[in-house]
Amino acid sequence: MKKIYFDNAASTPLDPFVGEEIMTYMRDHYGNPSSVHSYGKGAKVLLEETRDLIAGFINCKPKEIFFTSGGTESNNFAIKGTFFKNFDSGKKHFITSSIEHSAVLETVKYLEERFGCEITYVMPDKNGIIHAEDVLKEVKENTLMISIMHANNEVGSLNDIKAIVDGVKGKGIYVHTDTVQSMGKLKVDVKVLGVNYATLSAHKIYGPKGIGILYVSEDTQVDKFIHGGKQERNMRGGTENIPAIAGLRKAIEILNERMNEDIAHYTSLKNKLINDVKNVYGDCVIINSPIDCNCVSNIVNMSFDWKRCKVDPDMLIINLDLKGIAVSGGSACTSGSAQPSHVLRNLGHDTNTAFSSMRVSFGRENTVEEIDYLLECLKDIIQLKNEKVNA
Ligand code: PLP
């Protein structure tokens, strides 16, 4: 049976060169970067070279880069670190959006429940875009922080973070953005965005799981996140994950060389899928992703109108899996739970429509023929009521 992986927004495959690099470091370069001997120094050189490379990639200074265990930790670090650093300021108001990743939503919920913080959730428009003016009108005297994702993981909508930063200039409000889904799909330049913090995760860009970055601009005061050793300039204790960092370095080197090619590839696949699915299902398929602008090119989220289609909402993703096709019905982090996607619900879909939805997210290895196969399989799984599906 064919096996097709269309779930690259959940996690990309490991690039083979990245895998080799990780193995080399696991096997041959096991020194602890804090050690003073040559083994330790070798590891330290890798650590700092990687920091330099990433700094160049996102346009910041190496000292503004902190290695973390991934996107979830980086989001926690930025939000809790800001709150604790400013604990005595009395500022307890956070603005975020209703369609953030759970790594942000659960973190602010914790601050609300545990410390009485006030959280404002800005709603997206029907394309999943959070508008800067909607964020800015929520700003209050005691607003401490704004955390709005750059690109949404379920529908791929892109937000104008710079407009938010410009709108709060001089007000002493921290701005964090989660760039986990935009990194590698467009040029992320943290100085152009102007944020205090940006989050990155390696396993969405052909790197390993369990390693990520938090960018913290040099003028930002953040609280130490993990107490222990003096690693990461005394902000995050714990021996650095050198093999994973070596893998991240390789992944960024590869991305540096081929990002434009990747984007062109994703864009042509996205256009084909949307055209093909529209040809078959017409207006019985709702494309939840923005199409031409304000979006990343690798994500297509669609819902089937269950009132006009024969579709078993509970079985859609499983039926595709039985045919060898891996797509997502929501964010990977929440799939497995029987809750409809909070993102699709916030776009205005009812529970059944949310369940009759799928996210196709492209990667480097996907082909036009794989989209043809997906369409063939969909025709078996979802039919228009009263009408024959276009052959
Ligand atoms: N933020 C976004 C937008 C994501 O899509 C994800 C993962 O799906 C995360 C954060 C969490 O990243 P990690 O898996 O590296 O913890």
Side-chain angles (χ1 to χ4, degrees):
M1 188 177 64
K2 277 191 199 184
K3 292 278 276 174
I4 298 177
Y5 187 71
F6 277 141
D7 203 14
N8 291 275
S11 199
T12 49
L14 195 70
D15 185 288
F17 291 108
V18 172
E20 274 172 33
E21 194 76 356
I22 293 171
M23 278 317 293
T24 305
Y25 272 86
M26 280 200 153
R27 196 182 45 229
D28 303 332
H29 304 284
Y30 38 82
N32 185 324
S34 300
S35 304
V36 290
H37 47 61
S38 63
Y39 293 82
K41 278 193 206 135
K44 181 84 180 156
V45 167
L46 168 87
L47 190 65
E48 297 315 325
E49 278 180 2
T50 308
R51 211 185 299 279
D52 291 350
L53 178 75
I54 296 168
F57 191 65
I58 63 171
N59 187 27
C60 67
K61 295 183 180 162
K63 66 175 182 186
E64 296 176 307
I65 299 280
F66 293 88
F67 290 104
T68 67
S69 66
T72 301
E73 182 185 321
S74 294
N75 288 346
N76 271 265
F77 189 173
I79 295 170
K80 290 179 189 159
T82 300
F83 177 67
F84 290 124
K85 192 75 190 176
N86 294 279
F87 197 77
D88 298 325
S89 73
K91 286 179 148 196
K92 283 185 159 190
H93 178 231
F94 288 73
I95 303 173
T96 186
S97 84
S98 60
I99 59 166
E100 295 298 305
H101 189 272
S102 53
V104 166
L105 291 178
E106 291 298 317
T107 306
V108 292
K109 190 168 159 221
Y110 167 74
L111 294 183
E112 179 184 20
E113 289 172 358
R114 183 73 181 77
F115 297 99
C117 291
E118 185 196 347
I119 318 295
T120 299
Y121 299 92
V122 176
M123 294 288 286
D125 70 12
K126 66 175 181 14
N127 291 314
I129 296 165
I130 308 294
H131 292 277
E133 58 270 28
D134 293 339
V135 174
L136 297 175
K137 68 179 182 227
E138 300 297 343
V139 168
K140 303 201 282 196
E141 202 52 24
N142 69 337
T143 303
L144 176 63
M145 186 175 202
I146 297 174
S147 178
I148 300 287
M149 66 204 323
H150 198 199
N152 178 268
N153 46 308
E154 290 196 41
V155 295
S157 48
L158 197 63
N159 298 315
D160 187 352
I161 303 298
K162 181 177 160 22
I164 296 173
V165 172
D166 289 348
V168 296
K169 225 164 229 142
K171 294 195 167 135
I173 297 173
Y174 295 78
V175 182
H176 164 247
T177 189
D178 179 338
T179 65
V180 165
Q181 295 291 344
S182 53
M183 196 66 72
K185 318 306 178 299
L186 48 97
K187 172 91 190 124
V188 173
D189 181 323
V190 290
K191 295 298 170 198
V192 169
L193 292 177
V195 288
N196 299 90
Y197 306 102
T199 290
L200 180 158
S201 176
H203 73 103
K204 315 284 184 178
I205 53 167
Y206 300 87
K209 294 169 183 61
I211 188 79
I213 296 290
L214 181 67
Y215 156 77
V216 183
S217 71
E218 63 182 332
D219 53 352
T220 300
Q221 300 289 312
V222 63
D223 224 27
K224 179 172 183 156
F225 191 59
I226 294 185
H227 298 260
K230 303 247 181 297
Q231 291 90 351
E232 294 299 283
R233 294 181 306 293
N234 200 19
M235 294 299 283
R236 181 191 187 262
T239 304
E240 300 86 345
N241 187 349
I242 290 297
I245 290 170
L248 173 58
R249 176 174 71 171
K250 195 54 160 182
I252 298 273
E253 280 171 3
I254 296 169
L255 203 49
N256 241 335
E257 277 169 24
R258 56 171 299 165
M259 195 163 84
N260 290 339
E261 194 188 319
D262 284 351
I263 294 169
H265 179 58
Y266 304 146
T267 306
S268 74
L269 294 177
K270 176 172 176 177
N271 291 341
K272 175 178 166 55
L273 175 59
I274 292 175
N275 279 335
D276 288 2
V277 82
K278 279 273 174 204
N279 270 340
V280 176
Y281 294 99
D283 60 3
C284 290
V285 64
I286 306 149
I287 305 297
N288 297 312
S289 304
I291 295 181
D292 295 323
C293 56
N294 298 326
C295 59
V296 288
S297 51
N298 64 320
I299 296 179
V300 181
N301 192 306
M302 61 185 88
S303 303
F304 294 92
D305 182 347
W306 55 276
K307 293 192 195 101
R308 292 161 67 203
C309 293
K310 282 184 233 148
V311 49
D312 182 348
D314 296 338
M315 291 297 287
L316 175 58
I317 306 303
I318 295 166
N319 279 332
L320 283 169
D321 191 38
L322 290 172
K323 291 179 181 287
I325 299 177
V327 297
S328 178
S331 148
C333 304
T334 49
S335 67
S337 78
Q339 297 302 313
S341 142
H342 71 286
V343 176
L344 297 177
R345 293 289 284 122
N346 277 287
L347 295 194
H349 290 315
D350 58 48
T351 303
N352 270 336
T353 308
F355 279 133
S356 309
S357 305
M358 65 178 194
R359 175 189 70 182
V360 178
S361 51
F362 301 115
R364 289 175 185 156
E365 305 303 323
N366 290 130
T367 62
V368 166
E369 291 72 32
E370 289 178 339
I371 295 181
D372 291 335
Y373 181 67
L374 170 65
L375 261 292
E376 285 311 308
C377 295
L378 278 178
K379 285 180 198 168
D380 287 346
I381 296 170
I382 306 173
Q383 276 115 30
L384 300 177
K385 284 181 188 164
N386 310 322
E387 286 168 60
K388 235 175 137 280
V389 165
N390 293 340

